[in-house]
Amino acid sequence: MIWVIGHKNPDTDSIVSAIVYAKKINAKPARAGKLNPETEFVLQKFGIEAPELKEKIEKNEKVVIVDTNNKEELIPIEGEIIEIIDHHRLFGNLSTANPIEVCIKPVGSTSTIIAERFINNLTKEEAGLLLSGILSDTVIFKSPTTTEKDKEIAKKLAEIAGIENIESFGIELKSKASQLSDNPKENVLRDFKITEINNTKFGIGQVEIIGYEKVMERKQEYLEAMEEIRKEKNLDFVLFMVTDIIDEGTKLLIVGENPEKIAKAFEKELKDGYIYLPKVMSRKKQIMPVLYEKFK
Amino acid sequence: MIWVIGHKNPDTDSIVSAIVYAKKINAKPARAGKLNPETEFVLQKFGIEAPELKEKIEKNEKVVIVDTNNKEELIPIEGEIIEIIDHHRLFGNLSTANPIEVCIKPVGSTSTIIAERFINNLTKEEAGLLLSGILSDTVIFKSPTTTEKDKEIAKKLAEIAGIENIESFGIELKSKASQLSDNPKENVLRDFKITEINNTKFGIGQVEIIGYEKVMERKQEYLEAMEEIRKEKNLDFVLFMVTDIIDEGTKLLIVGENPEKIAKAFEKELKDGYIYLPKVMSRKKQIMPVLYEKFK
């Protein structure tokens, strides 16, 4: 059995990439956690079943990994990794016994890479799924991770999927994503990545919402939830990116022994537990490199 | 400045990959060490200059890495890695701050990957270089690392390069490779890879020659040279693959605290410091996986 699976705390890009690629190579898609409301909306819209929840890849199983190359973000793998397709930085913590296929490209989403590969051979539903992956990960092309390739492929996918207005479909998608739960901890963990840089462990969550106030009105509760997560997961810092897709900026909540150190890395002063970062929307392209530079 | 460079102890595949890819992307090829006799023959045959020797990638320089993804095999890199093209197993010791292009494929040579990408746009000389890279790394298609893709691409390259008999060109190439120096230590180090598996450090050299006796007649001197290398480089084991491309087998010389442990991993008994492995020609595909399985 060959599985195709993305990272833990799956986002839309990782789920749709797994679904479409699995169909193309006659494998089975899986998910490494609970679907978020945006992804649920997408699957419902295109009438596609949610992938099976997997907690481990067994010894006799094979797996294709999509949308990550970071061991920390994967379920335990006792079987064989046969391929990796991703658009994140090289983490350098995953090794294999044999040569395998690895395709990493600096584009806005894994969906872009998979769509490009099969662009002449996609059903309406597959195109819709992959378009959703692109729009979700690039925040409707507003994220600085966006490339010309993403826009070009998205246009072709929209044609195949019969979606006339990409922008308004994107906003519909993102408004689902901005439906926060009542539980701050759940929201922080919804899209949460753990990275270790030179023995300092970071957990970084992100919500992309319409209007900061949805989170900022309950800031104190969020900071407490973040501190709880920090202790539970044994992290040095927990950062929470509250990204407003209309303002195109981020309020970054920070907890840790010395949160000022993070604020300083961004040349800001910490006030009330957060810093405001105008024009910052991407964890990967605008938060991670700064931390990496500071802590490496 | 963008450099394209392969691994230390460069072989023909790493050198020709760097030369051709650099030309295609308007970068500059470099080498991470002395050329071996086979590579010298190839460059001379196609009238191509040897790449510049580099000992370090400086802070303000960019680099494309070809034919390895193992940090241990690279010169020090203070600048930015912008791309990796390779056909080896994922080592998992190289990380980047930003997303980059990574293309790893389980084919017989890096030359195959580069040739495929530019197959409609190669000069006679470029085709000749890449064909040499394929023939060298696949040992004229005899190595088990060989894929159908290597053969298919080699055929096209031979046409472009105007080489009528691929086989006999391959043997000419390999006979240059089998010209050993008088110095056993030099021969062991000529194509030498260091790998660490779970805190055990291996150094594995290989020569591909016509007739075992060229080495085996001086076996004692080789074992002594290997022991010297082991101490100098602080390794647990040094293995030396004496591969006869006509017999299509390998005599594996072993030194270390407990060389029997290696022999046992291959289900052989150590005799006179070596074991005979019929049909074994590939370090990557037939030696490394066994060690990996045993020591991981």
PDB file of all heavy atoms in Angstrom, chain B residues 52-81:
ATOM      1  N   GLU B  52      37.391  25.775 -12.353  1.00  0.00           N
ATOM      2  CA  GLU B  52      38.253  26.401 -11.344  1.00  0.00           C
ATOM      3  C   GLU B  52      38.158  25.629 -10.011  1.00  0.00           C
ATOM      4  O   GLU B  52      37.084  25.187  -9.624  1.00  0.00           O
ATOM      5  CB  GLU B  52      37.734  27.830 -11.131  1.00  0.00           C
ATOM      6  CG  GLU B  52      38.677  28.740 -10.356  1.00  0.00           C
ATOM      7  CD  GLU B  52      38.121  30.166 -10.347  1.00  0.00           C
ATOM      8  OE1 GLU B  52      37.764  30.681 -11.416  1.00  0.00           O
ATOM      9  OE2 GLU B  52      38.048  30.742  -9.253  1.00  0.00           O
ATOM     10  N   LEU B  53      39.288  25.500  -9.342  1.00  0.00           N
ATOM     11  CA  LEU B  53      39.287  24.863  -8.021  1.00  0.00           C
ATOM     12  C   LEU B  53      38.756  25.857  -6.976  1.00  0.00           C
ATOM     13  O   LEU B  53      39.247  26.984  -6.884  1.00  0.00           O
ATOM     14  CB  LEU B  53      40.711  24.439  -7.644  1.00  0.00           C
ATOM     15  CG  LEU B  53      40.866  23.783  -6.265  1.00  0.00           C
ATOM     16  CD1 LEU B  53      40.208  22.417  -6.233  1.00  0.00           C
ATOM     17  CD2 LEU B  53      42.339  23.657  -5.872  1.00  0.00           C
ATOM     18  N   LYS B  54      37.724  25.444  -6.222  1.00  0.00           N
ATOM     19  CA  LYS B  54      37.202  26.319  -5.164  1.00  0.00           C
ATOM     20  C   LYS B  54      37.416  25.623  -3.825  1.00  0.00           C
ATOM     21  O   LYS B  54      37.257  24.400  -3.710  1.00  0.00           O
ATOM     22  CB  LYS B  54      35.696  26.528  -5.330  1.00  0.00           C
ATOM     23  CG  LYS B  54      35.287  27.586  -6.316  1.00  0.00           C
ATOM     24  CD  LYS B  54      35.559  29.002  -5.850  1.00  0.00           C
ATOM     25  CE  LYS B  54      34.409  29.613  -5.085  1.00  0.00           C
ATOM     26  NZ  LYS B  54      34.696  31.047  -4.787  1.00  0.00           N
ATOM     27  N   GLU B  55      37.768  26.412  -2.829  1.00  0.00           N
ATOM     28  CA  GLU B  55      37.943  25.811  -1.506  1.00  0.00           C
ATOM     29  C   GLU B  55      36.880  26.257  -0.513  1.00  0.00           C
ATOM     30  O   GLU B  55      36.792  25.741   0.605  1.00  0.00           O
ATOM     31  CB  GLU B  55      39.349  26.111  -0.985  1.00  0.00           C
ATOM     32  CG  GLU B  55      40.306  25.033  -1.485  1.00  0.00           C
ATOM     33  CD  GLU B  55      41.752  25.429  -1.469  1.00  0.00           C
ATOM     34  OE1 GLU B  55      42.068  26.549  -1.027  1.00  0.00           O
ATOM     35  OE2 GLU B  55      42.574  24.598  -1.905  1.00  0.00           O
ATOM     36  N   LYS B  56      36.058  27.206  -0.950  1.00  0.00           N
ATOM     37  CA  LYS B  56      35.058  27.775  -0.049  1.00  0.00           C
ATOM     38  C   LYS B  56      34.109  28.625  -0.888  1.00  0.00           C
ATOM     39  O   LYS B  56      34.538  29.269  -1.845  1.00  0.00           O
ATOM     40  CB  LYS B  56      35.794  28.680   0.945  1.00  0.00           C
ATOM     41  CG  LYS B  56      34.946  29.221   2.068  1.00  0.00           C
ATOM     42  CD  LYS B  56      35.648  30.421   2.650  1.00  0.00           C
ATOM     43  CE  LYS B  56      35.461  30.551   4.144  1.00  0.00           C
ATOM     44  NZ  LYS B  56      36.260  31.657   4.681  1.00  0.00           N
ATOM     45  N   ILE B  57      32.829  28.616  -0.533  1.00  0.00           N
ATOM     46  CA  ILE B  57      31.891  29.546  -1.168  1.00  0.00           C
ATOM     47  C   ILE B  57      31.755  30.738  -0.220  1.00  0.00           C
ATOM     48  O   ILE B  57      31.334  30.583   0.933  1.00  0.00           O
ATOM     49  CB  ILE B  57      30.519  28.883  -1.433  1.00  0.00           C
ATOM     50  CG1 ILE B  57      30.649  27.661  -2.357  1.00  0.00           C
ATOM     51  CG2 ILE B  57      29.524  29.894  -2.011  1.00  0.00           C
ATOM     52  CD1 ILE B  57      31.101  27.951  -3.777  1.00  0.00           C
ATOM     53  N   GLU B  58      32.139  31.910  -0.702  1.00  0.00           N
ATOM     54  CA  GLU B  58      32.201  33.100   0.158  1.00  0.00           C
ATOM     55  C   GLU B  58      30.800  33.641   0.483  1.00  0.00           C
ATOM     56  O   GLU B  58      29.823  33.325  -0.188  1.00  0.00           O
ATOM     57  CB  GLU B  58      33.024  34.201  -0.522  1.00  0.00           C
ATOM     58  CG  GLU B  58      34.412  33.777  -0.957  1.00  0.00           C
ATOM     59  CD  GLU B  58      35.366  33.580   0.212  1.00  0.00           C
ATOM     60  OE1 GLU B  58      35.059  34.054   1.322  1.00  0.00           O
ATOM     61  OE2 GLU B  58      36.418  32.937   0.000  1.00  0.00           O
ATOM     62  N   LYS B  59      30.765  34.496   1.465  1.00  0.00           N
ATOM     63  CA  LYS B  59      29.509  35.029   1.990  1.00  0.00           C
ATOM     64  C   LYS B  59      28.603  35.668   0.932  1.00  0.00           C
ATOM     65  O   LYS B  59      27.399  35.529   0.970  1.00  0.00           O
ATOM     66  CB  LYS B  59      29.818  36.067   3.078  1.00  0.00           C
ATOM     67  CG  LYS B  59      28.874  35.918   4.255  1.00  0.00           C
ATOM     68  CD  LYS B  59      29.259  36.693   5.448  1.00  0.00           C
ATOM     69  CE  LYS B  59      28.140  36.485   6.482  1.00  0.00           C
ATOM     70  NZ  LYS B  59      28.527  36.844   7.804  1.00  0.00           N
ATOM     71  N   ASN B  60      29.205  36.396   0.009  1.00  0.00           N
ATOM     72  CA  ASN B  60      28.391  37.110  -0.987  1.00  0.00           C
ATOM     73  C   ASN B  60      28.155  36.289  -2.262  1.00  0.00           C
ATOM     74  O   ASN B  60      27.633  36.799  -3.239  1.00  0.00           O
ATOM     75  CB  ASN B  60      29.061  38.438  -1.350  1.00  0.00           C
ATOM     76  CG  ASN B  60      30.482  38.202  -1.841  1.00  0.00           C
ATOM     77  OD1 ASN B  60      31.062  37.144  -1.568  1.00  0.00           O
ATOM     78  ND2 ASN B  60      31.021  39.132  -2.593  1.00  0.00           N
ATOM     79  N   GLU B  61      28.543  34.995  -2.232  1.00  0.00           N
ATOM     80  CA  GLU B  61      28.398  34.156  -3.422  1.00  0.00           C
ATOM     81  C   GLU B  61      27.199  33.221  -3.301  1.00  0.00           C
ATOM     82  O   GLU B  61      26.782  32.875  -2.203  1.00  0.00           O
ATOM     83  CB  GLU B  61      29.674  33.333  -3.634  1.00  0.00           C
ATOM     84  CG  GLU B  61      30.890  34.185  -3.975  1.00  0.00           C
ATOM     85  CD  GLU B  61      32.167  33.369  -4.105  1.00  0.00           C
ATOM     86  OE1 GLU B  61      32.295  32.316  -3.429  1.00  0.00           O
ATOM     87  OE2 GLU B  61      33.040  33.776  -4.877  1.00  0.00           O
ATOM     88  N   LYS B  62      26.670  32.849  -4.475  1.00  0.00           N
ATOM     89  CA  LYS B  62      25.593  31.865  -4.504  1.00  0.00           C
ATOM     90  C   LYS B  62      26.110  30.579  -5.119  1.00  0.00           C
ATOM     91  O   LYS B  62      27.071  30.607  -5.890  1.00  0.00           O
ATOM     92  CB  LYS B  62      24.425  32.395  -5.329  1.00  0.00           C
ATOM     93  CG  LYS B  62      23.788  33.623  -4.685  1.00  0.00           C
ATOM     94  CD  LYS B  62      22.613  34.129  -5.463  1.00  0.00           C
ATOM     95  CE  LYS B  62      22.043  35.336  -4.717  1.00  0.00           C
ATOM     96  NZ  LYS B  62      20.732  35.712  -5.196  1.00  0.00           N
ATOM     97  N   VAL B  63      25.453  29.475  -4.801  1.00  0.00           N
ATOM     98  CA  VAL B  63      25.960  28.202  -5.318  1.00  0.00           C
ATOM     99  C   VAL B  63      24.833  27.214  -5.624  1.00  0.00           C
ATOM    100  O   VAL B  63      23.849  27.125  -4.895  1.00  0.00           O
ATOM    101  CB  VAL B  63      26.990  27.583  -4.329  1.00  0.00           C
ATOM    102  CG1 VAL B  63      26.336  27.216  -3.012  1.00  0.00           C
ATOM    103  CG2 VAL B  63      27.701  26.375  -4.925  1.00  0.00           C
ATOM    104  N   VAL B  64      24.991  26.540  -6.752  1.00  0.00           N
ATOM    105  CA  VAL B  64      24.141  25.401  -7.096  1.00  0.00           C
ATOM    106  C   VAL B  64      24.968  24.151  -6.815  1.00  0.00           C
ATOM    107  O   VAL B  64      26.112  24.058  -7.263  1.00  0.00           O
ATOM    108  CB  VAL B  64      23.746  25.429  -8.587  1.00  0.00           C
ATOM    109  CG1 VAL B  64      22.983  24.161  -8.967  1.00  0.00           C
ATOM    110  CG2 VAL B  64      22.928  26.668  -8.905  1.00  0.00           C
ATOM    111  N   ILE B  65      24.391  23.230  -6.081  1.00  0.00           N
ATOM    112  CA  ILE B  65      25.116  22.002  -5.749  1.00  0.00           C
ATOM    113  C   ILE B  65      24.639  20.876  -6.654  1.00  0.00           C
ATOM    114  O   ILE B  65      23.427  20.672  -6.778  1.00  0.00           O
ATOM    115  CB  ILE B  65      24.896  21.640  -4.272  1.00  0.00           C
ATOM    116  CG1 ILE B  65      25.535  22.716  -3.403  1.00  0.00           C
ATOM    117  CG2 ILE B  65      25.458  20.269  -3.954  1.00  0.00           C
ATOM    118  CD1 ILE B  65      25.118  22.639  -1.977  1.00  0.00           C
ATOM    119  N   VAL B  66      25.587  20.179  -7.270  1.00  0.00           N
ATOM    120  CA  VAL B  66      25.217  19.042  -8.110  1.00  0.00           C
ATOM    121  C   VAL B  66      25.878  17.766  -7.588  1.00  0.00           C
ATOM    122  O   VAL B  66      26.956  17.801  -7.011  1.00  0.00           O
ATOM    123  CB  VAL B  66      25.624  19.256  -9.597  1.00  0.00           C
ATOM    124  CG1 VAL B  66      24.802  20.350 -10.243  1.00  0.00           C
ATOM    125  CG2 VAL B  66      27.112  19.540  -9.739  1.00  0.00           C
ATOM    126  N   ASP B  67      25.188  16.651  -7.768  1.00  0.00           N
ATOM    127  CA  ASP B  67      25.724  15.320  -7.518  1.00  0.00           C
ATOM    128  C   ASP B  67      26.004  15.006  -6.040  1.00  0.00           C
ATOM    129  O   ASP B  67      26.743  14.062  -5.745  1.00  0.00           O
ATOM    130  CB  ASP B  67      26.986  15.070  -8.361  1.00  0.00           C
ATOM    131  CG  ASP B  67      27.252  13.586  -8.538  1.00  0.00           C
ATOM    132  OD1 ASP B  67      26.278  12.824  -8.637  1.00  0.00           O
ATOM    133  OD2 ASP B  67      28.428  13.189  -8.542  1.00  0.00           O
ATOM    134  N   THR B  68      25.421  15.753  -5.132  1.00  0.00           N
ATOM    135  CA  THR B  68      25.454  15.391  -3.710  1.00  0.00           C
ATOM    136  C   THR B  68      24.405  16.223  -2.990  1.00  0.00           C
ATOM    137  O   THR B  68      24.009  17.285  -3.472  1.00  0.00           O
ATOM    138  CB  THR B  68      26.831  15.624  -3.066  1.00  0.00           C
ATOM    139  OG1 THR B  68      26.777  15.196  -1.687  1.00  0.00           O
ATOM    140  CG2 THR B  68      27.228  17.090  -3.085  1.00  0.00           C
ATOM    141  N   ASN B  69      23.933  15.729  -1.843  1.00  0.00           N
ATOM    142  CA  ASN B  69      23.135  16.571  -0.953  1.00  0.00           C
ATOM    143  C   ASN B  69      23.649  16.357   0.464  1.00  0.00           C
ATOM    144  O   ASN B  69      22.942  16.561   1.445  1.00  0.00           O
ATOM    145  CB  ASN B  69      21.629  16.291  -1.093  1.00  0.00           C
ATOM    146  CG  ASN B  69      21.228  14.927  -0.549  1.00  0.00           C
ATOM    147  OD1 ASN B  69      20.916  14.778   0.635  1.00  0.00           O
ATOM    148  ND2 ASN B  69      21.228  13.905  -1.386  1.00  0.00           N
ATOM    149  N   ASN B  70      24.922  15.934   0.534  1.00  0.00           N
ATOM    150  CA  ASN B  70      25.543  15.613   1.810  1.00  0.00           C
ATOM    151  C   ASN B  70      26.539  16.710   2.188  1.00  0.00           C
ATOM    152  O   ASN B  70      27.554  16.906   1.523  1.00  0.00           O
ATOM    153  CB  ASN B  70      26.271  14.262   1.665  1.00  0.00           C
ATOM    154  CG  ASN B  70      26.920  13.821   2.954  1.00  0.00           C
ATOM    155  OD1 ASN B  70      26.871  14.530   3.969  1.00  0.00           O
ATOM    156  ND2 ASN B  70      27.521  12.647   2.920  1.00  0.00           N
ATOM    157  N   LYS B  71      26.224  17.389   3.269  1.00  0.00           N
ATOM    158  CA  LYS B  71      27.052  18.505   3.740  1.00  0.00           C
ATOM    159  C   LYS B  71      28.516  18.097   3.909  1.00  0.00           C
ATOM    160  O   LYS B  71      29.429  18.869   3.626  1.00  0.00           O
ATOM    161  CB  LYS B  71      26.482  18.981   5.076  1.00  0.00           C
ATOM    162  CG  LYS B  71      26.897  20.362   5.473  1.00  0.00           C
ATOM    163  CD  LYS B  71      26.199  20.787   6.749  1.00  0.00           C
ATOM    164  CE  LYS B  71      26.649  22.173   7.170  1.00  0.00           C
ATOM    165  NZ  LYS B  71      25.900  22.628   8.352  1.00  0.00           N
ATOM    166  N   GLU B  72      28.725  16.866   4.367  1.00  0.00           N
ATOM    167  CA  GLU B  72      30.082  16.377   4.632  1.00  0.00           C
ATOM    168  C   GLU B  72      30.928  16.318   3.364  1.00  0.00           C
ATOM    169  O   GLU B  72      32.158  16.291   3.438  1.00  0.00           O
ATOM    170  CB  GLU B  72      30.027  14.957   5.222  1.00  0.00           C
ATOM    171  CG  GLU B  72      29.215  14.825   6.490  1.00  0.00           C
ATOM    172  CD  GLU B  72      29.959  15.364   7.694  1.00  0.00           C
ATOM    173  OE1 GLU B  72      31.190  15.267   7.694  1.00  0.00           O
ATOM    174  OE2 GLU B  72      29.309  15.895   8.613  1.00  0.00           O
ATOM    175  N   GLU B  73      30.263  16.240   2.220  1.00  0.00           N
ATOM    176  CA  GLU B  73      31.006  16.102   0.970  1.00  0.00           C
ATOM    177  C   GLU B  73      31.232  17.431   0.273  1.00  0.00           C
ATOM    178  O   GLU B  73      31.743  17.463  -0.854  1.00  0.00           O
ATOM    179  CB  GLU B  73      30.246  15.188   0.011  1.00  0.00           C
ATOM    180  CG  GLU B  73      30.295  13.740   0.417  1.00  0.00           C
ATOM    181  CD  GLU B  73      29.612  12.858  -0.602  1.00  0.00           C
ATOM    182  OE1 GLU B  73      29.169  13.362  -1.647  1.00  0.00           O
ATOM    183  OE2 GLU B  73      29.516  11.655  -0.328  1.00  0.00           O
ATOM    184  N   LEU B  74      30.807  18.520   0.925  1.00  0.00           N
ATOM    185  CA  LEU B  74      30.911  19.834   0.285  1.00  0.00           C
ATOM    186  C   LEU B  74      32.045  20.654   0.860  1.00  0.00           C
ATOM    187  O   LEU B  74      32.428  20.484   2.026  1.00  0.00           O
ATOM    188  CB  LEU B  74      29.595  20.596   0.493  1.00  0.00           C
ATOM    189  CG  LEU B  74      28.390  20.030  -0.245  1.00  0.00           C
ATOM    190  CD1 LEU B  74      27.106  20.626   0.288  1.00  0.00           C
ATOM    191  CD2 LEU B  74      28.528  20.304  -1.736  1.00  0.00           C
ATOM    192  N   ILE B  75      32.545  21.584   0.051  1.00  0.00           N
ATOM    193  CA  ILE B  75      33.470  22.576   0.604  1.00  0.00           C
ATOM    194  C   ILE B  75      32.654  23.500   1.518  1.00  0.00           C
ATOM    195  O   ILE B  75      31.423  23.516   1.437  1.00  0.00           O
ATOM    196  CB  ILE B  75      34.161  23.386  -0.534  1.00  0.00           C
ATOM    197  CG1 ILE B  75      33.111  24.115  -1.396  1.00  0.00           C
ATOM    198  CG2 ILE B  75      35.032  22.489  -1.384  1.00  0.00           C
ATOM    199  CD1 ILE B  75      33.730  25.128  -2.361  1.00  0.00           C
ATOM    200  N   PRO B  76      33.295  24.244   2.422  1.00  0.00           N
ATOM    201  CA  PRO B  76      32.535  25.135   3.313  1.00  0.00           C
ATOM    202  C   PRO B  76      31.732  26.158   2.514  1.00  0.00           C
ATOM    203  O   PRO B  76      32.240  26.741   1.556  1.00  0.00           O
ATOM    204  CB  PRO B  76      33.629  25.821   4.136  1.00  0.00           C
ATOM    205  CG  PRO B  76      34.811  24.916   4.052  1.00  0.00           C
ATOM    206  CD  PRO B  76      34.731  24.253   2.706  1.00  0.00           C
ATOM    207  N   ILE B  77      30.482  26.329   2.895  1.00  0.00           N
ATOM    208  CA  ILE B  77      29.602  27.261   2.179  1.00  0.00           C
ATOM    209  C   ILE B  77      29.149  28.355   3.131  1.00  0.00           C
ATOM    210  O   ILE B  77      28.370  28.113   4.054  1.00  0.00           O
ATOM    211  CB  ILE B  77      28.384  26.522   1.583  1.00  0.00           C
ATOM    212  CG1 ILE B  77      28.870  25.541   0.515  1.00  0.00           C
ATOM    213  CG2 ILE B  77      27.374  27.516   0.980  1.00  0.00           C
ATOM    214  CD1 ILE B  77      27.799  24.648  -0.051  1.00  0.00           C
ATOM    215  N   GLU B  78      29.671  29.558   2.925  1.00  0.00           N
ATOM    216  CA  GLU B  78      29.211  30.691   3.738  1.00  0.00           C
ATOM    217  C   GLU B  78      28.155  31.484   2.989  1.00  0.00           C
ATOM    218  O   GLU B  78      27.400  32.234   3.581  1.00  0.00           O
ATOM    219  CB  GLU B  78      30.399  31.586   4.099  1.00  0.00           C
ATOM    220  CG  GLU B  78      31.353  30.872   5.033  1.00  0.00           C
ATOM    221  CD  GLU B  78      32.481  31.760   5.519  1.00  0.00           C
ATOM    222  OE1 GLU B  78      32.597  32.907   5.052  1.00  0.00           O
ATOM    223  OE2 GLU B  78      33.259  31.288   6.373  1.00  0.00           O
ATOM    224  N   GLY B  79      28.112  31.312   1.683  1.00  0.00           N
ATOM    225  CA  GLY B  79      27.107  31.997   0.871  1.00  0.00           C
ATOM    226  C   GLY B  79      25.798  31.233   0.854  1.00  0.00           C
ATOM    227  O   GLY B  79      25.525  30.420   1.738  1.00  0.00           O
ATOM    228  N   GLU B  80      25.026  31.481  -0.203  1.00  0.00           N
ATOM    229  CA  GLU B  80      23.664  30.952  -0.248  1.00  0.00           C
ATOM    230  C   GLU B  80      23.554  29.793  -1.227  1.00  0.00           C
ATOM    231  O   GLU B  80      23.933  29.919  -2.392  1.00  0.00           O
ATOM    232  CB  GLU B  80      22.742  32.097  -0.695  1.00  0.00           C
ATOM    233  CG  GLU B  80      21.267  31.808  -0.519  1.00  0.00           C
ATOM    234  CD  GLU B  80      20.399  32.910  -1.148  1.00  0.00           C
ATOM    235  OE1 GLU B  80      20.962  33.942  -1.574  1.00  0.00           O
ATOM    236  OE2 GLU B  80      19.183  32.719  -1.225  1.00  0.00           O
ATOM    237  N   ILE B  81      23.011  28.673  -0.771  1.00  0.00           N
ATOM    238  CA  ILE B  81      22.694  27.568  -1.676  1.00  0.00           C
ATOM    239  C   ILE B  81      21.377  27.917  -2.361  1.00  0.00           C
ATOM    240  O   ILE B  81      20.385  28.199  -1.688  1.00  0.00           O
ATOM    241  CB  ILE B  81      22.514  26.240  -0.908  1.00  0.00           C
ATOM    242  CG1 ILE B  81      23.794  25.886  -0.134  1.00  0.00           C
ATOM    243  CG2 ILE B  81      22.127  25.112  -1.849  1.00  0.00           C
ATOM    244  CD1 ILE B  81      23.620  24.698   0.799  1.00  0.00           C
TER     245      ILE B  81
END
